Protein backbone atom coordinates (compact mmCIF):
# COMPACT_ATOMS: atom_id res chain seq x y z
CA UNK A 1 0.00 0.00 0.00
CA UNK A 2 2.89 2.34 0.73
CA UNK A 3 4.19 1.99 -2.84
CA UNK A 4 0.74 2.58 -4.28
CA UNK A 5 0.16 5.56 -2.04
CA UNK A 6 3.53 7.10 -2.94
CA UNK A 7 2.95 6.47 -6.65
CA UNK A 8 -0.48 8.08 -6.53
CA UNK A 9 0.90 11.09 -4.69
CA UNK A 10 3.80 11.32 -7.15
CA UNK A 11 1.49 11.22 -10.15
CA UNK A 12 -0.71 13.90 -8.64
CA UNK A 13 2.31 15.98 -7.71
CA UNK A 14 3.83 15.60 -11.19
CA UNK A 15 0.58 16.66 -12.83
CA UNK A 16 0.27 19.67 -10.53
CA UNK A 17 3.88 20.78 -10.99
CA UNK A 18 3.77 20.21 -14.74
CA UNK A 19 0.58 22.23 -15.00
CA UNK A 20 2.47 25.05 -13.30
CA UNK A 21 5.89 24.66 -14.97
CA UNK A 22 4.80 24.31 -18.62
CA UNK A 23 2.77 27.56 -18.75
CA UNK A 24 5.57 29.31 -16.89
CA UNK A 25 8.17 28.11 -19.40
CA UNK A 26 5.93 29.17 -22.28
CA UNK A 27 5.50 32.59 -20.69
CA UNK A 28 9.28 32.99 -20.34
CA UNK A 29 9.84 32.13 -24.02
CA UNK A 30 7.00 34.38 -25.16
CA UNK A 31 8.21 37.30 -23.07
CA UNK A 32 11.81 37.03 -24.30
CA UNK A 33 10.64 36.75 -27.93
CA UNK A 34 8.50 39.87 -27.63
CA UNK A 35 11.40 41.79 -26.09
CA UNK A 36 13.70 40.67 -28.92
CA UNK A 37 11.23 41.67 -31.63
CA UNK A 38 10.54 45.06 -29.99
CA UNK A 39 14.24 45.94 -29.86
CA UNK A 40 14.95 44.87 -33.45
CA UNK A 41 11.85 46.65 -34.76
CA UNK A 42 13.10 49.81 -33.11
CA UNK A 43 16.56 49.33 -34.63
CA UNK A 44 15.35 48.76 -38.20
CA UNK A 45 13.00 51.73 -37.93
CA UNK A 46 15.91 53.92 -36.85
CA UNK A 47 18.01 52.71 -39.79
CA UNK A 48 15.13 53.49 -42.16
CA UNK A 49 15.19 57.11 -41.00
CA UNK A 50 19.00 57.37 -41.28
CA UNK A 51 19.08 55.69 -44.71
CA UNK A 52 16.64 58.28 -46.21
CA UNK A 53 19.48 60.64 -47.12
CA UNK A 54 21.65 57.88 -48.59
CA UNK A 55 19.02 56.35 -50.91
CA UNK A 56 18.20 59.76 -52.39
CA UNK A 57 21.58 61.58 -52.47
CA UNK A 58 24.18 58.81 -51.98
CA UNK A 59 25.63 60.47 -48.88
CA UNK A 60 27.10 57.46 -46.99
CA UNK A 61 28.88 59.00 -44.01
CA UNK A 62 26.11 58.93 -41.43
CA UNK A 63 24.71 55.56 -42.53
CA UNK A 64 28.12 53.87 -42.63
CA UNK A 65 29.06 55.14 -39.16
CA UNK A 66 25.75 53.91 -37.67
CA UNK A 67 25.92 50.52 -39.44
CA UNK A 68 29.48 49.86 -38.32
CA UNK A 69 28.64 50.75 -34.72
CA UNK A 70 25.54 48.54 -34.79
CA UNK A 71 27.49 45.61 -36.23
CA UNK A 72 30.21 46.04 -33.61
CA UNK A 73 27.68 45.95 -30.78
CA UNK A 74 25.20 43.28 -31.97
CA UNK A 75 27.14 41.55 -34.74
CA UNK A 76 24.09 41.76 -37.04
CA UNK A 77 24.63 42.65 -40.74
CA UNK A 78 22.68 45.54 -42.34
CA UNK A 79 21.64 46.02 -45.99
CA UNK A 80 20.26 49.21 -47.56
CA UNK A 81 18.63 49.03 -51.01
CA UNK A 82 17.80 52.16 -53.09
CA UNK A 83 15.26 52.58 -55.90
CA UNK A 84 16.73 55.95 -56.90
CA UNK A 85 19.78 54.65 -58.73
CA UNK A 86 22.08 54.71 -55.72
CA UNK A 87 24.26 51.67 -55.21
CA UNK A 88 23.08 49.23 -52.52
CA UNK A 89 25.00 49.43 -49.27
CA UNK A 90 25.81 46.16 -47.40
CA UNK A 91 27.40 45.98 -43.98
CA UNK A 92 28.39 42.31 -43.90
CA UNK A 93 25.17 40.86 -45.35
CA UNK A 94 25.18 38.22 -48.04
CA UNK A 95 22.19 38.40 -50.36
CA UNK A 96 20.34 35.12 -50.84
CA UNK A 97 16.81 34.08 -51.54
CA UNK A 98 15.55 34.94 -48.04
CA UNK A 99 17.11 38.39 -48.22
CA UNK A 100 15.65 39.00 -51.70
CA UNK A 101 12.18 38.08 -50.42
CA UNK A 102 12.62 40.48 -47.50
CA UNK A 103 13.75 43.28 -49.87
CA UNK A 104 10.72 42.67 -52.05
CA UNK A 105 8.39 42.99 -49.03
CA UNK A 106 10.07 46.21 -47.99
CA UNK A 107 9.80 47.75 -51.47
CA UNK A 108 6.10 46.82 -51.43
CA UNK A 109 5.84 48.99 -48.30
CA UNK A 110 5.10 45.98 -46.01
CA UNK A 111 5.96 46.71 -42.36
CA UNK A 112 4.94 43.46 -40.61
CA UNK A 113 7.49 41.21 -38.92
CA UNK A 114 6.31 37.61 -38.58
CA UNK A 115 8.41 36.03 -35.80
CA UNK A 116 7.26 32.88 -33.98
CA UNK A 117 7.97 32.09 -30.34
CA UNK A 118 11.61 31.17 -29.82
CA UNK A 119 12.71 27.87 -28.39
CA UNK A 120 16.04 27.28 -26.64
CA UNK A 121 17.22 25.00 -29.45
CA UNK A 122 18.12 26.39 -32.86
CA UNK A 123 20.11 29.32 -34.27
CA UNK A 124 18.16 30.58 -37.30
CA UNK A 125 18.47 34.38 -37.68
CA UNK A 126 15.44 36.60 -38.27
CA UNK A 127 15.20 39.24 -41.05
CA UNK A 128 13.68 42.60 -40.14
CA UNK A 129 12.79 44.91 -43.06
CA UNK A 130 11.43 48.49 -43.30
CA UNK A 131 10.71 50.63 -46.34
CA UNK A 132 12.67 53.87 -46.71
CA UNK A 133 10.52 56.86 -47.58
CA UNK A 134 7.53 58.86 -46.52
CA UNK A 135 3.91 57.92 -46.96
CA UNK A 136 3.32 56.05 -50.21
CA UNK A 137 6.71 57.12 -51.67
CA UNK A 138 9.16 54.19 -51.24
CA UNK A 139 12.76 55.14 -52.02
CA UNK A 140 14.34 51.91 -50.81
CA UNK A 141 14.41 49.35 -48.00
CA UNK A 142 16.51 48.47 -44.95
CA UNK A 143 17.14 44.83 -43.98
CA UNK A 144 18.70 43.65 -40.70
CA UNK A 145 19.64 40.00 -40.21
CA UNK A 146 19.28 39.66 -36.40
CA UNK A 147 20.87 36.75 -34.59
CA UNK A 148 18.63 34.90 -32.08
CA UNK A 149 21.40 33.17 -30.14
CA UNK A 150 21.32 35.53 -27.16
CA UNK A 151 17.53 35.41 -26.92
CA UNK A 152 17.50 31.63 -27.14
CA UNK A 153 20.26 31.44 -24.51
CA UNK A 154 18.20 33.60 -22.16
CA UNK A 155 15.18 31.36 -22.69
CA UNK A 156 17.28 28.26 -22.03
CA UNK A 157 18.56 29.81 -18.80
CA UNK A 158 14.99 30.56 -17.70
CA UNK A 159 13.90 27.03 -18.52
CA UNK A 160 16.83 25.58 -16.58
CA UNK A 161 15.80 27.61 -13.54
CA UNK A 162 12.23 26.34 -13.90
CA UNK A 163 13.51 22.77 -14.33
CA UNK A 164 15.68 23.06 -11.23
CA UNK A 165 12.69 24.32 -9.28
CA UNK A 166 10.62 21.44 -10.69
CA UNK A 167 13.22 18.85 -9.61
CA UNK A 168 13.54 20.44 -6.17
CA UNK A 169 9.77 20.51 -5.73
CA UNK A 170 9.49 16.89 -6.88
CA UNK A 171 12.24 15.86 -4.44
CA UNK A 172 10.41 17.56 -1.60
CA UNK A 173 7.15 16.00 -2.76
CA UNK A 174 8.71 12.52 -2.81
CA UNK A 175 10.06 13.02 0.72
CA UNK A 176 6.67 14.28 1.85
CA UNK A 177 4.92 11.33 0.18
CA UNK A 178 7.21 8.82 1.90
CA UNK A 179 6.71 10.52 5.26
CA UNK A 180 2.94 10.68 4.73
CA UNK A 181 2.81 7.03 3.72
CA UNK A 182 4.81 6.05 6.79
CA UNK A 183 2.60 8.23 9.01
CA UNK A 184 -0.59 6.72 7.61
CA UNK A 185 0.48 3.07 7.53
CA UNK A 186 2.55 2.80 10.70
CA UNK A 187 -0.54 2.83 12.99
CA UNK A 188 -2.15 0.16 10.81
CA UNK A 189 0.89 -2.10 11.11
CA UNK A 190 1.12 -1.48 14.85
CA UNK A 191 -2.60 -2.15 15.26
CA UNK A 192 -2.38 -5.39 13.28
CA UNK A 193 0.59 -6.56 15.38
CA UNK A 194 -1.20 -5.69 18.62
CA UNK A 195 -4.33 -7.53 17.49
CA UNK A 196 -2.31 -10.61 16.54
CA UNK A 197 -0.51 -10.55 19.89
CA UNK A 198 -3.82 -10.16 21.72
CA UNK A 199 -5.35 -13.01 19.71
CA UNK A 200 -2.44 -15.28 20.57
CA UNK A 201 -3.22 -14.83 24.28
CA UNK A 202 -6.87 -15.79 23.98
CA UNK A 203 -7.84 -19.30 25.06
CA UNK A 204 -9.74 -19.85 21.78
CA UNK A 205 -8.45 -19.54 18.25
CA UNK A 206 -10.39 -19.28 15.00
CA UNK A 207 -9.88 -22.94 14.11
CA UNK A 208 -10.98 -24.06 17.59
CA UNK A 209 -14.43 -22.46 17.35
CA UNK A 210 -17.48 -24.72 17.40
CA UNK A 211 -19.64 -24.91 14.33
CA UNK A 212 -22.29 -22.74 15.97
CA UNK A 213 -19.93 -19.78 15.84
CA UNK A 214 -19.30 -20.14 12.14
CA UNK A 215 -21.93 -17.53 11.33
CA UNK A 216 -19.67 -14.85 12.79
CA UNK A 217 -16.92 -15.56 10.29
CA UNK A 218 -16.61 -13.42 7.22
CA UNK A 219 -13.86 -13.83 4.66
CA UNK A 220 -12.24 -10.64 3.42
CA UNK A 221 -9.55 -12.20 1.22
CA UNK A 222 -11.55 -11.44 -1.94
CA UNK A 223 -12.41 -7.88 -0.93
CA UNK A 224 -10.85 -4.96 -2.73
CA UNK A 225 -8.45 -2.53 -1.20
CA UNK A 226 -4.77 -2.28 -0.30
CA UNK A 227 -3.01 -5.39 1.04
CA UNK A 228 -2.35 -3.77 4.43
CA UNK A 229 -6.06 -2.99 4.90
CA UNK A 230 -7.07 -6.50 3.80
CA UNK A 231 -4.53 -8.01 6.20
CA UNK A 232 -5.84 -5.85 9.03
CA UNK A 233 -9.41 -6.86 8.18
CA UNK A 234 -8.47 -10.55 8.20
CA UNK A 235 -6.71 -10.12 11.55
CA UNK A 236 -9.76 -8.33 12.94
CA UNK A 237 -12.01 -11.13 11.66
CA UNK A 238 -9.87 -13.78 13.34
CA UNK A 239 -9.80 -11.72 16.54
CA UNK A 240 -13.59 -11.37 16.52
CA UNK A 241 -13.97 -15.12 16.07
CA UNK A 242 -11.59 -15.72 18.96
CA UNK A 243 -13.48 -13.26 21.16
CA UNK A 244 -16.77 -14.95 20.26
CA UNK A 245 -15.23 -18.27 21.23
CA UNK A 246 -14.00 -16.84 24.53
CA UNK A 247 -17.43 -15.38 25.31
CA UNK A 248 -19.15 -18.67 24.45
CA UNK A 249 -16.63 -20.50 26.61
CA UNK A 250 -17.29 -18.17 29.55
CA UNK A 251 -21.04 -18.62 29.21
CA UNK A 252 -20.68 -22.40 29.09
CA UNK A 253 -18.33 -22.29 32.08
CA UNK A 254 -20.87 -20.28 34.08
CA UNK A 255 -23.64 -22.72 33.23
CA UNK A 256 -21.52 -25.77 34.02
CA UNK A 257 -20.27 -24.20 37.26
CA UNK A 258 -23.83 -23.50 38.35
CA UNK A 259 -24.81 -27.08 37.59
CA UNK A 260 -21.80 -28.64 39.32
CA UNK A 261 -22.11 -26.49 42.46
CA UNK A 262 -25.86 -26.43 42.90
CA UNK A 263 -26.26 -30.22 42.89
CA UNK A 264 -23.93 -30.85 45.88
CA UNK A 265 -25.34 -27.83 47.74
CA UNK A 266 -28.91 -29.01 47.20
CA UNK A 267 -28.04 -32.52 48.36
CA UNK A 268 -26.22 -31.12 51.39
CA UNK A 269 -29.13 -28.89 52.34
CA UNK A 270 -31.56 -31.82 51.90
CA UNK A 271 -29.49 -33.98 54.25
CA UNK A 272 -29.25 -31.14 56.78
CA UNK A 273 -33.05 -30.74 56.70
CA UNK A 274 -33.50 -34.50 57.30
CA UNK A 275 -31.03 -34.50 60.19
CA UNK A 276 -32.60 -31.43 61.80
CA UNK A 277 -35.85 -33.38 62.45
CA UNK A 278 -34.32 -35.80 64.96
CA UNK A 279 -31.49 -33.66 66.20
CA UNK A 280 -31.08 -33.48 69.98
CA UNK A 281 -32.13 -30.28 71.70
CA UNK A 282 -28.56 -29.44 72.64
CA UNK A 283 -27.53 -29.41 68.97
CA UNK A 284 -30.47 -27.53 67.50
CA UNK A 285 -28.74 -24.14 67.66
CA UNK A 286 -25.74 -25.58 65.86
CA UNK A 287 -28.00 -27.08 63.20
CA UNK A 288 -29.74 -23.74 62.74
CA UNK A 289 -26.35 -22.12 62.18
CA UNK A 290 -25.45 -24.81 59.64
CA UNK A 291 -28.76 -24.34 57.82
CA UNK A 292 -28.27 -20.56 57.77
CA UNK A 293 -24.76 -20.94 56.42
CA UNK A 294 -25.99 -23.34 53.73
CA UNK A 295 -28.66 -20.84 52.73
CA UNK A 296 -26.04 -18.08 52.70
CA UNK A 297 -23.82 -20.25 50.51
CA UNK A 298 -26.75 -20.64 48.09
CA UNK A 299 -27.18 -16.86 48.00
CA UNK A 300 -23.45 -16.29 47.45
CA UNK A 301 -23.41 -18.85 44.64
CA UNK A 302 -26.40 -17.24 42.94
CA UNK A 303 -24.91 -13.76 43.21
CA UNK A 304 -21.47 -14.95 42.12
CA UNK A 305 -22.94 -16.54 39.01
CA UNK A 306 -24.99 -13.40 38.34
CA UNK A 307 -21.86 -11.28 38.72
CA UNK A 308 -19.91 -13.50 36.31
CA UNK A 309 -22.80 -13.39 33.85
CA UNK A 310 -22.99 -9.59 34.13
CA UNK A 311 -19.30 -9.31 33.25
CA UNK A 312 -19.73 -11.44 30.14
CA UNK A 313 -19.65 -9.23 27.01
CA UNK A 314 -22.91 -8.95 25.09
CA UNK A 315 -22.58 -9.60 21.36
CA UNK A 316 -25.06 -8.06 18.90
CA UNK A 317 -27.86 -10.22 17.64
CA UNK A 318 -29.10 -13.39 19.23
CA UNK A 319 -32.74 -12.35 18.99
CA UNK A 320 -32.56 -10.24 22.19
CA UNK A 321 -33.70 -6.61 22.02
CA UNK A 322 -30.85 -4.23 22.81
CA UNK A 323 -33.14 -1.50 24.19
CA UNK A 324 -36.23 -1.21 26.34
CA UNK A 325 -38.82 1.22 27.69
CA UNK A 326 -37.28 2.45 30.92
CA UNK A 327 -40.49 3.65 32.52
CA UNK A 328 -42.35 0.45 31.64
CA UNK A 329 -39.67 -1.64 33.38
CA UNK A 330 -39.64 0.76 36.35
CA UNK A 331 -43.44 0.59 36.77
CA UNK A 332 -43.35 -3.21 36.53
CA UNK A 333 -40.64 -3.55 39.20
CA UNK A 334 -42.27 -1.02 41.53
CA UNK A 335 -45.52 -2.94 41.24
CA UNK A 336 -43.69 -6.20 41.95
CA UNK A 337 -41.78 -4.83 44.95
CA UNK A 338 -44.63 -2.82 46.49
CA UNK A 339 -46.01 -5.79 48.46
CA UNK A 340 -42.55 -6.96 49.55
CA UNK A 341 -41.63 -3.43 50.63
CA UNK A 342 -44.79 -3.04 52.70
CA UNK A 343 -44.18 -6.39 54.37
CA UNK A 344 -40.76 -5.10 55.38
CA UNK A 345 -42.30 -1.91 56.80
CA UNK A 346 -41.13 0.38 54.00
CA UNK A 347 -42.74 2.40 51.21
CA UNK A 348 -41.82 2.83 47.55
CA UNK A 349 -42.90 5.66 45.23
CA UNK A 350 -42.12 6.92 41.72
CA UNK A 351 -40.73 10.44 41.71
CA UNK A 352 -41.11 11.20 37.99
CA UNK A 353 -43.95 11.24 35.52
CA UNK A 354 -44.00 7.95 33.56
CA UNK A 355 -43.20 8.32 29.87
CA UNK A 356 -43.36 5.06 27.92
CA UNK A 357 -41.72 6.61 24.83
CA UNK A 358 -38.35 6.92 26.56
CA UNK A 359 -36.16 4.00 25.56
CA UNK A 360 -32.61 3.26 26.73
CA UNK A 361 -29.89 1.15 25.13
CA UNK A 362 -29.92 -1.59 27.75
CA UNK A 363 -31.49 -5.02 27.76
CA UNK A 364 -34.75 -5.30 29.64
CA UNK A 365 -33.46 -8.27 31.66
CA UNK A 366 -30.38 -6.28 32.73
CA UNK A 367 -32.45 -3.25 33.76
CA UNK A 368 -34.85 -5.49 35.67
CA UNK A 369 -31.96 -7.08 37.56
CA UNK A 370 -30.49 -3.63 38.36
CA UNK A 371 -33.76 -2.36 39.84
CA UNK A 372 -34.35 -5.58 41.77
CA UNK A 373 -30.92 -5.35 43.40
CA UNK A 374 -31.36 -1.68 44.31
CA UNK A 375 -34.86 -2.15 45.77
CA UNK A 376 -33.77 -5.24 47.68
CA UNK A 377 -30.75 -3.44 49.15
CA UNK A 378 -32.83 -0.43 50.16
CA UNK A 379 -35.37 -2.53 52.04
CA UNK A 380 -32.76 -4.76 53.71
CA UNK A 381 -29.98 -2.34 54.67
CA UNK A 382 -31.52 1.17 54.79
CA UNK A 383 -33.27 0.69 58.12
CA UNK A 384 -36.85 0.47 59.40
CA UNK A 385 -39.80 2.32 57.84
CA UNK A 386 -37.62 3.47 54.94
CA UNK A 387 -39.10 5.52 52.13
CA UNK A 388 -37.80 4.60 48.64
CA UNK A 389 -38.18 6.93 45.66
CA UNK A 390 -37.30 5.91 42.09
CA UNK A 391 -37.50 7.94 38.91
CA UNK A 392 -36.28 8.46 35.35
CA UNK A 393 -34.75 11.62 33.90
CA UNK A 394 -33.70 12.55 30.36
CA UNK A 395 -30.34 14.29 29.91
CA UNK A 396 -30.06 16.28 26.69
CA UNK A 397 -26.90 16.05 24.53
CA UNK A 398 -24.10 18.42 25.45
CA UNK A 399 -23.52 21.31 23.05
CA UNK A 400 -20.08 22.01 24.45
CA UNK A 401 -17.47 21.62 21.70
CA UNK A 402 -15.02 20.13 24.20
CA UNK A 403 -17.51 17.55 25.53
CA UNK A 404 -20.10 16.46 23.01
CA UNK A 405 -22.15 13.63 24.51
CA UNK A 406 -25.23 11.88 23.20
CA UNK A 407 -28.52 11.89 25.02
CA UNK A 408 -28.62 9.73 28.13
CA UNK A 409 -31.22 8.33 30.50
CA UNK A 410 -30.70 8.80 34.23
CA UNK A 411 -32.40 6.34 36.61
CA UNK A 412 -32.35 7.29 40.27
CA UNK A 413 -33.14 5.12 43.30
CA UNK A 414 -32.81 6.79 46.72
CA UNK A 415 -34.06 6.20 50.20
CA UNK A 416 -34.54 7.90 53.55
CA UNK A 417 -32.52 5.32 55.44
CA UNK A 418 -29.33 5.52 57.42
CA UNK A 419 -27.19 5.99 54.32
CA UNK A 420 -23.55 5.10 53.79
CA UNK A 421 -20.46 6.90 55.06
CA UNK A 422 -18.85 9.17 52.50
CA UNK A 423 -15.54 7.31 52.78
CA UNK A 424 -17.24 4.04 51.86
CA UNK A 425 -19.01 5.31 48.70
CA UNK A 426 -16.02 4.57 46.48
CA UNK A 427 -15.89 0.88 47.49
CA UNK A 428 -19.58 0.00 47.12
CA UNK A 429 -19.05 -1.67 43.74
CA UNK A 430 -16.04 -3.72 44.86
CA UNK A 431 -16.84 -7.46 44.97
CA UNK A 432 -17.51 -8.91 48.43
CA UNK A 433 -17.57 -5.45 50.06
CA UNK A 434 -20.76 -5.18 52.11
CA UNK A 435 -22.12 -2.58 54.52
CA UNK A 436 -24.57 -5.10 55.98
CA UNK A 437 -24.87 -8.86 56.18
CA UNK A 438 -25.05 -9.64 52.45
CA UNK A 439 -22.49 -11.27 50.18
CA UNK A 440 -21.29 -7.90 48.88
CA UNK A 441 -21.98 -8.67 45.21
CA UNK A 442 -25.28 -6.85 44.62
CA UNK A 443 -23.91 -3.44 43.68
CA UNK A 444 -20.99 -5.09 41.86
CA UNK A 445 -23.59 -6.77 39.64
CA UNK A 446 -25.38 -3.45 39.12
CA UNK A 447 -22.14 -1.70 38.12
CA UNK A 448 -21.18 -4.51 35.74
CA UNK A 449 -24.60 -4.48 34.04
CA UNK A 450 -24.55 -0.68 33.70
CA UNK A 451 -21.06 -0.61 32.20
CA UNK A 452 -21.89 -3.47 29.87
CA UNK A 453 -24.54 -1.14 28.40
CA UNK A 454 -21.90 1.64 28.04
CA UNK A 455 -23.38 3.33 31.07
CA UNK A 456 -22.09 4.40 34.46
CA UNK A 457 -23.09 4.41 38.11
CA UNK A 458 -22.69 7.07 40.82
CA UNK A 459 -23.33 7.12 44.56
CA UNK A 460 -23.95 10.07 46.87
CA UNK A 461 -26.14 11.10 49.80
CA UNK A 462 -29.78 11.68 48.99
CA UNK A 463 -31.70 14.79 50.12
CA UNK A 464 -34.02 12.25 51.74
CA UNK A 465 -31.18 11.35 54.10
CA UNK A 466 -30.11 7.94 52.81
CA UNK A 467 -28.15 6.60 49.84
CA UNK A 468 -28.81 7.80 46.30
CA UNK A 469 -27.82 5.58 43.38
CA UNK A 470 -27.79 7.08 39.90
CA UNK A 471 -27.52 4.90 36.79
CA UNK A 472 -26.62 6.54 33.46
CA UNK A 473 -27.30 4.62 30.23
CA UNK A 474 -27.32 5.83 26.59
CA UNK A 475 -30.60 6.90 25.03
CA UNK A 476 -31.80 4.48 22.39
CA UNK A 477 -31.77 5.76 18.76
CA UNK A 478 -35.25 4.25 18.42
CA UNK A 479 -36.65 6.51 21.12
CA UNK A 480 -39.42 8.56 19.49
CA UNK A 481 -39.29 11.30 22.12
CA UNK A 482 -37.44 14.46 21.12
CA UNK A 483 -34.93 15.60 23.68
CA UNK A 484 -35.79 18.82 25.54
CA UNK A 485 -33.44 21.76 25.80
CA UNK A 486 -32.67 20.67 29.36
CA UNK A 487 -33.17 17.38 31.13
CA UNK A 488 -36.62 16.41 32.31
CA UNK A 489 -36.96 17.29 35.99
CA UNK A 490 -36.84 14.54 38.54
CA UNK A 491 -38.68 15.72 41.66
CA UNK A 492 -38.49 12.65 43.86
CA UNK A 493 -35.58 13.87 45.95
CA UNK A 494 -37.27 17.12 46.94
CA UNK A 495 -40.80 15.86 47.54
CA UNK A 496 -41.95 15.60 51.16
CA UNK A 497 -41.76 12.19 52.75
CA UNK A 498 -45.23 10.86 53.52
CA UNK A 499 -45.92 8.72 56.53
CA UNK A 500 -45.87 5.00 55.86
CA UNK A 501 -49.25 3.69 54.85
CA UNK A 502 -50.77 2.06 57.92
CA UNK A 503 -53.00 -0.06 55.75
CA UNK A 504 -50.96 -2.89 54.26
CA UNK A 505 -53.68 -3.55 51.68
CA UNK A 506 -53.52 -0.04 50.20
CA UNK A 507 -51.74 0.46 46.87
CA UNK A 508 -48.68 2.71 47.20
CA UNK A 509 -47.17 1.86 43.84
Amino acid sequence: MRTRLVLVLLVLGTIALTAFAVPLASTVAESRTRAFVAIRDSDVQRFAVIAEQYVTTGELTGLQLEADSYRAVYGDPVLVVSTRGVENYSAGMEVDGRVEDAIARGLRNERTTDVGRFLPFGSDPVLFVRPVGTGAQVNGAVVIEASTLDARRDILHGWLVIGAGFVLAMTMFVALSLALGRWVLSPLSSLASSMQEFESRLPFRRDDLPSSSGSHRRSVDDSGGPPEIRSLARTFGRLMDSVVGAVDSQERLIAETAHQLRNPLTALQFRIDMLSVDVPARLREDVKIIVAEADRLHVILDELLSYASAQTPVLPGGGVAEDCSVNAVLLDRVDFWSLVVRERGAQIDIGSEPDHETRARIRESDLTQILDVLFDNATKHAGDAVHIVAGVELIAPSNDAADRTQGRVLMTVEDSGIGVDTDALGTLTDPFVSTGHGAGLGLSIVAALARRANGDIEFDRSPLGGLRVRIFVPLSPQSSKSLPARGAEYVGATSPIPDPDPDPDSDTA
Side-chain angles (χ1 to χ4, degrees), residues 89-170:
Y89 172 75
S90 175
M93 182 176 293
E94 296 180 0
V95 179
D96 55 12
R98 294 175 58 250
V99 176
E100 290 178 353
D101 291 341
I103 293 172
R105 292 199 307 272
L107 295 179
R108 291 196 299 268
N109 203 14
E110 295 181 6
R111 299 173 180 270
T112 60
T113 303
D114 188 11
V115 179
R117 182 173 56 197
F118 292 158
L119 296 177
F121 313 104
S123 60
D124 295 337
V126 178
L127 295 177
F128 290 86
V129 60
R130 282 293 184 275
V132 179
T134 58
Q137 181 65 36
V138 177
N139 298 322
V142 177
V143 180
I144 296 179
E145 187 178 25
S147 174
T148 61
L149 291 178
D150 291 340
R152 295 178 188 274
R153 190 179 299 113
D154 293 341
I155 294 174
L156 178 60
H157 179 267
W159 283 20
L160 289 177
V161 172
I162 295 174
F166 182 88
V167 172
L168 178 61
M170 284 300 300

Side-chain angles (χ1 to χ4, degrees), residues 157-481:
H157 179 267
W159 283 20
L160 289 177
V161 172
I162 295 174
F166 182 88
V167 172
L168 178 61
M170 284 300 300
T171 303
M172 296 176 61
F173 201 83
V174 169
L176 179 62
S177 301
L178 293 175
L180 181 61
R182 189 180 302 107
W183 178 70
V184 170
L185 297 179
S186 293
L188 293 180
S189 302
S190 177
L191 178 60
S193 300
S194 300
M195 292 172 63
Q196 291 174 357
E197 181 180 0
F198 177 74
E199 181 192 6
S200 65
R201 298 180 180 180
L202 291 176
F204 278 82
R205 304 292 178 84
R206 180 185 179 96
D207 298 334
D208 298 333
L209 293 177
S211 59
S212 61
S213 301
S215 59
H216 295 279
R217 301 184 183 182
R218 182 177 183 270
S219 175
V220 295
D221 294 344
D222 298 332
S223 302
E228 290 83 355
I229 301 297
R230 294 201 304 269
S231 175
L232 180 62
R234 289 193 296 268
T235 303
F236 181 78
R238 292 194 301 268
L239 179 60
M240 283 297 299
D241 291 338
S242 299
V243 170
V244 168
V247 171
D248 291 342
S249 174
Q250 184 171 350
E251 291 177 349
R252 289 196 302 270
L253 177 62
I254 292 173
E256 292 173 1
T257 301
H259 177 72
Q260 295 297 327
L261 292 179
R262 276 202 176 95
N263 287 343
L265 278 177
T266 302
L268 177 62
Q269 193 167 22
F270 177 72
R271 294 179 183 274
I272 292 174
D273 291 340
M274 291 182 60
L275 291 174
S276 62
V277 176
D278 299 328
V279 69
R282 60 186 178 85
L283 298 177
R284 287 179 181 175
E285 292 299 327
D286 295 335
V287 172
K288 289 182 179 180
I289 294 176
I290 295 175
V291 172
E293 290 299 324
D295 293 338
R296 182 172 180 271
L297 189 58
H298 265 290
V299 173
I300 292 176
L301 175 61
D302 292 338
E303 292 188 356
L304 185 62
L305 294 177
S306 299
Y307 180 59
S309 178
Q311 288 187 319
T312 302
V314 176
L315 298 176
V320 180
E322 300 296 331
D323 65 346
C324 65
S325 174
V326 181
N327 283 283
V329 177
L330 177 61
L331 289 174
D332 176 73
R333 301 326 295 164
V334 168
D335 181 67
F336 173 82
W337 280 92
S338 58
L339 179 59
V340 178
V341 167
R342 286 198 301 269
E343 290 177 351
R344 296 178 181 178
Q347 181 181 352
I348 185 170
D349 288 323
I350 295 179
S352 60
E353 182 180 354
D355 180 7
H356 294 282
E357 294 182 349
T358 302
R359 302 184 66 86
R361 294 183 59 182
I362 185 173
R363 291 187 174 185
E364 182 176 343
S365 58
D366 292 348
L367 182 57
T368 298
Q369 189 172 2
I370 289 175
L371 294 175
D372 287 345
V373 171
L374 295 180
F375 291 154
D376 185 58
N377 281 356
T379 56
K380 284 183 178 179
H381 308 301
D384 298 333
V386 66
H387 180 223
I388 305 170
V389 180
V392 176
E393 179 180 352
L394 280 179
I395 301 178
S398 173
N399 294 324
D400 186 4
D403 181 24
R404 291 191 178 274
T405 57
Q406 296 180 350
R408 294 185 297 171
V409 178
L410 170 60
M411 293 170 290
T412 303
V413 177
E414 53 190 336
D415 60 69
S416 61
I418 59 177
V420 178
D421 293 338
T422 305
D423 297 337
L425 292 178
T427 62
L428 289 179
T429 58
D430 295 343
F432 302 107
V433 175
S434 175
T435 59
H437 302 287
L441 289 173
L443 293 179
S444 300
I445 296 173
V446 171
L449 292 174
R451 288 162 187 162
R452 187 168 70 176
N454 293 325
D456 201 1
I457 182 172
E458 293 181 358
F459 302 96
D460 60 1
R461 179 166 291 277
S462 169
L464 300 177
L467 178 67
R468 178 169 62 180
V469 182
R470 298 195 295 176
I471 306 293
F472 299 88
V473 291
L475 185 68
S476 173
Q478 300 179 4
S479 181
S480 60
K481 184 177 180 61

Side-chain angles (χ1 to χ4, degrees), residues 1-11 177-178 181-182 185 226-228:
M1 180 178 176
R2 178 174 299 173
T3 303
R4 291 183 176 88
L5 179 61
V6 171
L7 287 178
V8 169
L9 292 176
L10 285 180
V11 170
S177 301
L178 293 175
R182 189 180 302 107
L185 297 179
E228 290 83 355

Side-chain angles (χ1 to χ4, degrees), residues 7-71:
L7 287 178
V8 169
L9 292 176
L10 285 180
V11 170
L12 294 177
T14 302
I15 293 175
L17 292 176
T18 302
F20 174 77
V22 170
L24 181 60
S26 177
T27 302
V28 169
E30 188 72 28
S31 176
R32 186 63 182 88
T33 301
R34 287 198 302 266
F36 173 82
V37 172
I39 293 174
R40 293 304 185 268
D41 277 342
S42 176
D43 293 341
V44 74
Q45 183 65 34
R46 180 165 52 84
F47 271 105
V49 174
I50 296 173
E52 176 69 24
Q53 184 178 4
Y54 172 74
V55 297
T56 56
T57 64
E59 178 62 35
L60 184 61
T61 304
L63 176 61
Q64 185 177 12
L65 180 62
E66 188 69 23
D68 291 342
S69 300
Y70 186 80
R71 183 171 175 78

